[in-house]
């Protein structure tokens, strides 16, 4: 099941390879079909998922059965290394509360992304090949439970992303693409070293061999005492935690490693921005929750305050930057940085409320930001500009668009009744109730105010008031005597067309629904979050020592 | 003063030759192939270059049969300890033969040979001559044999790199290669003579025993090590013995460049591993007291310098072959990391890395040849927009380059994984070296990606050209190499088993 959901896009990619490049519609349909089937599979996994099982670590005795679900575990590589014993790499997939949330999100955003890719006209075949490769890599990352496999998927994302930004992006795409590539590779090569060091430090209790299994690594009793990352080796464990954290923080992206993100977003085509903001950024915080924190819980305990401070900086700095942007897409990109700060803050709280808020925020940010970028894409397609000052009074002329924008903007702002509110509320409840992060939480609340400021201000400038004299569109008096607007060389429907609605309406429905009744997603994560908190808690560690 | 050997001694020599010959069949076979190629060239008067190419290819393929038979033979010394047969040597025999076969295929693909060269006969013969030299380098266990085989390789390589006689750059390459080669050979032989002076032995095992038994002056030993490293460093193209490589790589015919970058470098590593692992005395915990730390420190410095210099200077290169020259300097640095680890895991990592390097480097050079057949140029600027005109070539080259960076899922990633695993298997001792390794590989991403950047992200200078097909054979070969690069990146067991099995050096006890 999980193998299928991971590799379905790549199979679609192989089919596309056989289709002649002139058959653009067939290529698009194949990709859409794969994405839809992937989503159906995600829903089936969701239905078959038992939320009472905790995940995170193995059950007593070291077996992942009964803790993780939909497990697929096969030996992949087994090497004799002579004096060093044998090297075992497994094809090991499984989901728990952390990953199933992300699996659903990934399937959803991938599908939306395919729909949004309909407007890509240049080199359609190459585009969808890379897109499907990316979709496989993303999904693989979320379900891999072997560190080696995770790493392969993690790195596999980089190359398609590089080309997708670099070949279908804006004018400054070369710079943005290589910046993205270098930044993320810089983070992940350190992960490689930590991965190897962990391998030499951990024994799988079931086999007695060294292992790359993240499940075995999440239990501190599996570490060899005098190994490089063994429990006594405080210095190297701290170093390993820090470099892993930086690797994931680059992906989040956390201040001061965030500078690649606005560049990448501004240059990337709309669907790639959607994928980037909707899924890729979550990989950073997912990696923290799955790998970084549970493997080094005592270092996490010691660094909660620092993580919280970085979270607060992200929230406030991101909001300030967003406030200063003239380019709408850049504003949304910085709002992403700001909102991922809430995730960091929730994680830093280290309690159930904060962690639940963080994971739920990851899901909600995925849907909300996907929507924001889609909406930016809608207006960019029409006006060929994203400068906020080139618009004005759009609400009158594009009422449906304005309506959807209102939902997305207010969800991003954290309006009660929409999903973003619940996750941010949980984050703050968690952060307030933890002694460590309480002062940080108090400061971070300012972020909500600034968030409201840039969102409402942009809304006001673009949609309210009257058309500006230098606007990107002309006014016409239609035959019915009403005023209309007209974009230069835009042949399509002025307001949202059917394809655009097909992308936006489901997202809007999800955002509203999860804002009123969050349990379908939140219910999935509860037991896993509790388990994670327990693994991270000082009491649990004291018991081991 | 020489005394004539007595009858009994002559009998003894003949017996040893007879006994050794049985384990020397691949080398004899290759020597016959070498002569046969010259004769066929004479008979056809150089008018059948393709025939000669395929003949060489088939002849080389045939040698695999004899090499394969050596697996059954017992490891041991031949010819009074001049030469050894062990799994390590057999590994390199395969490696060099495959390298030479690739070099032949690349030569047949390169259209420049049609215009620049009148007669190709000696060319293939020289490829085989160099191959024989390399095969002997990997199995030499005596200082004299080491020197002789290295000179055979070098002399063939000088001629090969200057094979485009009318091309000034090619001649310049040959001359530079010769001058640097002569100097480093001289230094190396001086180092050998110091060792001989210390031990009065030329056999590596005997030298080792002598050093362990009687000790030595550390300063002299250090000097000897340094001088010998000059010779080996020249072969592997490591800093600071690398000065020849950018010019030679750029000027030499591309197939020769590829051959030098893969096979000649590997031969250097074969020698380096055997020489240092055998010569420096070892016990249960090898090299802990005697000069060991010094030469390991030397290697570490050379390795770090190579990784940093090669990867950083490559950033500013405008010529693809020159770019790969600097990249090959960097790869020598990564390979040295595996040597430094000094155990079977390290050896295994080096061997695996060499296998991966063979695949990805030949792949890259093959595509470069195909592109230069079309554009007549190896300049980065002329790669603009090629991705659209030659999609398969573009995709294949991207995969090879990604593999050279060391990103999954390619075989190059596994090579780096093994190298870093070997370093980290020693605990925190070599973390610093591993850090330099990964940091420089991030830098390498930048310049390797310049090629796909030009091919895919930039528009061609002549936008109206249509898709160009390099031919069925070329397409299939490219696709196969590309798939293998990814396949062995995911299922590398056979290669690493082979590398592990081959890491046994004759006369080394700590395995």
């Amino acid at each position: 099941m999980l193998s299928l959901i991971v590799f379905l896009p790549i199979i679609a990619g192989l089919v596309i390879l056989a289709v002649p490049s002139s058959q653009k519609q067939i290529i698009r349909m194949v990709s859409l079909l794969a994405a839809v089937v992937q989503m159906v599979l995600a829903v089936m996994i969701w239905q078959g998922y038992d939320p009472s099982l905790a995940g995170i670590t193995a059950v007593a005795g070291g077996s992942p059965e009964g803790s993780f679900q939909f497990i697929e575990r096969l030996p992949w590589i087994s090497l004799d290394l002579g004096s060093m014993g044998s090297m075992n790499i497994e094809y090991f997939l499984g989901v728990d509360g952390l990953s199933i949330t992300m699996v659903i999100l990934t399937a959803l955003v991938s599908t939306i992304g395919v729909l949004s890719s309909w407007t890509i006209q240049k080199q359609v075949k190459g585009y969808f090949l890379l897109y499907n490769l990316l979709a496989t890599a993303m999904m693989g990352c979320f379900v891999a439970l072997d560190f080696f496999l995770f790493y392969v998927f993690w790195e596999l994302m980089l190359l398609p992303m590089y080309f997708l930004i670099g070949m279908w992006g804006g004018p400054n795409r070369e710079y943005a693409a290589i910046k993205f590539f270098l930044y993320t590779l810089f983070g992940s090569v350190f992960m490689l070293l930590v991965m190897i060091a962990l391998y030499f430090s951990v024994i799988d209790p079931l086999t007695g061999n060294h292992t790359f299994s993240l499940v075995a690594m999440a239990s501190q009793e599996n570490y060899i005492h005098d190994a490089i990352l063994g429990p006594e080796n405080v210095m190297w464990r701290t170093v390993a935690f820090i470099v892993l954290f930086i690797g994931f923080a680059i992906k989040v992206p956390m201040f001061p490693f965030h500078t690649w993100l606005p560049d990448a977003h501004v240059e990337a085509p709309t669907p790639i921005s959607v994928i980037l903001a909707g899924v890729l950024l979550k990989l950073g915080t997912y990696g923290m929750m799955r790998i970084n924190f549970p493997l080094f819980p005592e270092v996490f305990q010691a660094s909660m305050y620092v993580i919280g401070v970085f979270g607060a900086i992200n929230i406030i700095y991101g909001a300030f930057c967003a406030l200063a942007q003239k380019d709408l897409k850049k504003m949304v990109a910085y709002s992403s940085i700001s909102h991922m700060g809430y995730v960091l803050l929730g994680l830093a709280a280290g309690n159930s409320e904060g962690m639940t808020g963080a994971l739920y925020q990851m899901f909600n940010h995925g849907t909300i930001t996907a929507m924001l970028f889609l909406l930016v894409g809608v207006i960019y397609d029409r006006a060929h500009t994203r400068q906020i000052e080139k618009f004005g009074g759009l609400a009158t002329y594009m009422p449906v668009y304005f309506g959807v924008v209102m939902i997305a903007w207010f969800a991003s702002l954290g309006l009660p009744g929409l999903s973003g509110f619940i996750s941010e509320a949980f984050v703050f409840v968690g952060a307030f109730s933890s002694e460590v992060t309480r002062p940080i939480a108090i400061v971070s609340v300012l972020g909500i105010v600034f968030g409201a400021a840039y969102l409402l201000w942009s809304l006001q400038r673009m949609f309210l008031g009257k058309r500006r004299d230098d606007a990107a569109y002309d006014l016409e008096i239609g035959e019915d005597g009403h005023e209309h607007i007209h974009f230069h060389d835009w042949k399509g429907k002025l307001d949202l067309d059917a394809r655009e609605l097909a992308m936006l309406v489901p997202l809007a429905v999800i955002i509203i629904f999860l804002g009123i009744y969050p349990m379908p997603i939140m219910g999935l994560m509860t037991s896993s979050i509790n388990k994670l908190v327990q693994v991270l808690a000082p009491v649990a560690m004291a018991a081991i020592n | 003063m020489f005394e004539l050997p007595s009858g009994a001694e002559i009998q003894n020599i003949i017996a040893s030759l007879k006994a050794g010959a049985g384990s020397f069949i691949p080398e004899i076979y290759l020597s016959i192939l070498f002569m046969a190629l010259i004769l066929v060239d004479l008979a056809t008067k150089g008018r059948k270059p393709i025939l000669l190419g395929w003949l060489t290819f088939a002849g080389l393929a045939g040698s695999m049969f004899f090499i394969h038979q050596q697996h059954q033979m017992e490891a041991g010394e031949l010819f009074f300890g001049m030469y050894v047969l062990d799994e390590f040597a057999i590994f390199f025999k395969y490696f060099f033969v495959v390298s030479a076969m690739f070099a032949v295929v690349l030569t047949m693909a390169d259209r420049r040979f049609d215009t620049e060269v009148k007669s190709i006969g000696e060319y293939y013969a020289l490829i085989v001559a160099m191959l024989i030299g390399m095969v002997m380098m990997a199995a030499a266990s005596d200082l004299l044999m080491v020197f002789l085989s290295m000179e055979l390789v070098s002399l063939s390589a000088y001629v090969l790199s200057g094979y485009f006689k009318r091309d000034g750059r090619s001649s310049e390459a040959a001359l530079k290669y010769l001058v640097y080669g002569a100097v480093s050979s001289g230094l190396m032989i001086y180092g050998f003579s110091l060792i001989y002076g210390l031990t009065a032995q030329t056999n590596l095992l005997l030298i080792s025993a002598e050093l362990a038994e009687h000790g030595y002056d550390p300063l002299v030993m250090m000097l000897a090590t340094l001088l010998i490293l000059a010779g080996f460093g020249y072969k592997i193209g490591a800093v600071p013995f690398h000065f020849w490589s950018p010019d030679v790589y750029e000027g030499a015919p591309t197939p020769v460049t590829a051959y030098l970058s893969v096979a000649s470098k590997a031969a250097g590593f074969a020698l380096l591993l055997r020489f240092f692992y055998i010569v420096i005395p070892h016990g249960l915990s090898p090299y802990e007291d005697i000069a060991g730390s010094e030469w390991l420190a030397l290697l570490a410095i050379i390795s770090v310098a190579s990784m940093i210099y090669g990867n950083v200077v490559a950033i500013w290169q405008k010529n693809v072959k020159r770019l790969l020259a600097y990249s090959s300097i960097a790869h020598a640095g990564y390979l040295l990391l595996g040597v430094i680890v000094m155990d079977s895991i390290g050896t295994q990592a080096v061997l695996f890395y060499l296998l991966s390097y063979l695949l990805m480097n030949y792949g890259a050079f093959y595509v470069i040849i195909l592109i230069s057949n079309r554009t007549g140029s190896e300049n980065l600027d002329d790669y603009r927009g090629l991705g659209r005109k030659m999609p398969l070539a573009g995709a294949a080259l991207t995969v090879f380059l990604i593999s050279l960076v060391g990103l999954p899922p390619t075989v190059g990633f596994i090579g780096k994984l093994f190298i870093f695993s070997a370093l980290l298997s020693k605990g925190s001792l070599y973390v610093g070296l591993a850090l330099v390794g990964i940091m420089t590989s991030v830098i390498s991403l930048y310049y390797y990606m310049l090629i796909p950047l030009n091919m895919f992200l930039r528009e061609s200078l002549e936008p109206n050209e249509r898709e160009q097909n390099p031919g069925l054979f070329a397409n299939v070969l490219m696709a196969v190499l590309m798939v293998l690069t990814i396949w062995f990146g995911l299922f590398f067991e056979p290669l690493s088993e082979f590398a592990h099995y081959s890491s046994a050096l004759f006369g080394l006890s700590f395995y």
Side-chain angles (χ1 to χ4, degrees), chain B residues 285-425:
Chain B
S285 60
Y287 323 112
E288 60 182 1
D289 44 5
I290 318 171
S293 56
E294 284 101 328
W295 78 265
L296 280 183
L298 266 182
L299 277 191
I301 293 167
I302 293 177
S303 161
V304 167
S306 302
M307 288 187 289
I308 294 177
Y309 178 85
N311 280 324
V312 170
V313 178
I315 292 175
W316 289 278
Q317 299 312 315
K318 298 275 174 256
N319 179 294
V320 175
K321 276 164 78 180
R322 219 177 160 80
L323 188 148
L324 286 180
Y326 284 101
S327 113
S328 98
I329 294 172
H331 282 282
Y334 294 120
L335 281 158
L336 280 173
L337 290 178
V339 180
I340 291 166
V341 178
M342 287 292 302
D343 62 11
S344 64
I345 299 187
T347 316
Q348 190 184 341
V350 172
L351 299 186
F352 188 94
Y353 201 100
L354 285 171
L355 286 175
S356 72
Y357 193 61
L358 172 96
L359 192 57
M360 59 203 184
N361 221 32
Y362 270 119
F365 274 111
Y366 185 59
V367 179
I368 287 170
I369 288 174
L370 293 178
I371 288 171
S372 119
N373 283 346
R374 297 285 154 188
T375 62
S377 156
E378 280 119 21
N379 286 329
L380 212 45
D381 281 339
D382 295 320
Y383 276 58
R384 284 178 182 219
L386 272 178
R388 212 166 301 175
K389 281 181 248 165
M390 303 170 79
L392 181 61
L397 188 54
T398 306
V399 169
F400 300 136
L401 294 171
I402 283 300
S403 181
L404 283 165
V405 180
L407 289 182
T410 59
V411 69
F413 166 63
I414 308 297
K416 289 228 166 62
L417 177 81
F418 277 129
I419 295 273
F420 294 137
S421 296
L423 286 172
L424 291 182
S425 70

Side-chain angles (χ1 to χ4, degrees), chain A residues 7-74:
Chain A
F7 290 107
L8 198 66
I10 256 193
I11 296 167
L14 292 175
V15 173
I16 288 171
L17 206 55
V19 178
S21 46
S22 54
Q23 299 292 327
K24 293 183 182 176
Q25 205 60 21
I26 294 180
I27 292 171
R28 292 183 185 125
M29 292 310 286
V30 169
S31 298
L32 183 62
L33 184 69
V36 168
V37 175
Q38 201 185 21
M39 199 150 82
V40 170
L41 287 172
V43 170
M44 284 165 67
I45 290 172
W46 184 9
Q47 290 306 313
Y49 182 80
D50 176 1
S52 62
L53 299 183
I56 310 290
T57 58
V59 294
S63 166
E65 301 279 347
S67 175
F68 285 85
Q69 301 176 45
F70 297 97
I71 295 171
E72 292 175 29
R73 191 172 200 175
L74 298 167

Side-chain angles (χ1 to χ4, degrees), chain A residues 333-405:
Chain A
Y334 276 108
S335 89
S336 265
I337 295 176
S338 180
H339 282 103
M340 291 308 283
Y342 292 110
V343 180
L344 285 173
L345 181 62
L347 293 177
N351 48 28
S352 289
E353 299 90 327
M355 290 271 180
T356 307
L359 188 55
Y360 197 45
Q361 169 78 349
M362 279 156 69
F363 187 89
N364 291 335
H365 179 255
T367 47
I368 293 170
T369 316
M371 211 169 155
L372 291 177
F373 278 111
L374 288 172
L375 289 164
V376 174
V378 165
I379 197 71
Y380 182 73
D381 283 345
R382 285 161 173 74
H384 303 295
T385 180
R386 292 182 300 250
Q387 298 299 312
I388 296 174
E389 63 193 18
K390 293 278 180 191
F391 302 94
L394 280 178
T396 321
Y397 312 113
M398 298 171 72
V400 182
Y401 180 62
F402 180 60
V404 182
V405 163

Side-chain angles (χ1 to χ4, degrees), chain B residues 35-73:
Chain B
M35 290 182 274
L37 285 171
I38 294 181
L39 289 177
V40 172
D41 180 47
L42 283 176
T44 57
K45 302 202 172 66
R47 277 188 227 119
K48 299 248 168 64
I50 294 294
L51 169 80
L52 215 54
W54 282 117
L55 192 66
T56 317
F57 188 84
L60 290 171
S63 71
M64 305 262 240
F65 171 74
F66 298 105
I67 299 171
H68 183 70
Q69 285 192 329
Q70 294 195 316
H71 283 302
Q72 271 98 49
M73 295 174 194

Side-chain angles (χ1 to χ4, degrees), chain A residues 439-499:
Chain A
I440 307 170
I442 293 169
V443 177
S444 301
V445 173
L446 283 175
I448 296 195
V449 180
F450 298 129
Y454 66 78
L455 286 161
L456 291 176
W457 193 31
S458 65
L459 204 63
Q460 180 202 344
R461 282 182 292 170
M462 286 182 68
F463 293 93
L464 306 179
K466 284 205 166 88
R467 172 187 175 272
R468 290 156 168 259
D469 292 336
D470 57 347
Y473 44 88
D474 302 322
L475 271 181
E476 290 171 345
I477 307 294
E479 288 166 6
D480 53 357
H482 291 290
E483 280 187 344
H484 292 281
I485 57 166
H486 171 71
F487 290 100
H488 311 287
D489 53 72
W490 170 254
K491 306 259 178 341
K493 198 174 168 206
L494 178 64
D495 216 329
L496 297 178
D497 62 24
R499 183 185 59 87

Side-chain angles (χ1 to χ4, degrees), chain A residues 76 78-79 84 166 173-174, chain B residues 345 428 457-458 490 493 496:
Chain A
W76 175 13
S78 176
L79 290 176
M84 286 306 298
R173 57 184 194 264
E174 281 181 18
Chain B
I345 299 187
S428 52
L457 270 59
R458 291 190 173 155
L490 293 172
E493 250 177 296
S496 54

Side-chain angles (χ1 to χ4, degrees), chain B residues 130-157:
Chain B
M130 190 169 150
L131 168 65
I132 298 168
M134 292 189 296
V135 163
M136 294 171 93
M137 261 170 93
S141 68
D142 188 288
L143 294 180
L144 290 174
M145 199 62 213
V146 167
F147 183 67
L148 275 178
S149 53
M150 268 181 93
E151 288 306 296
L152 177 55
V153 174
S154 296
L155 288 171
S156 318

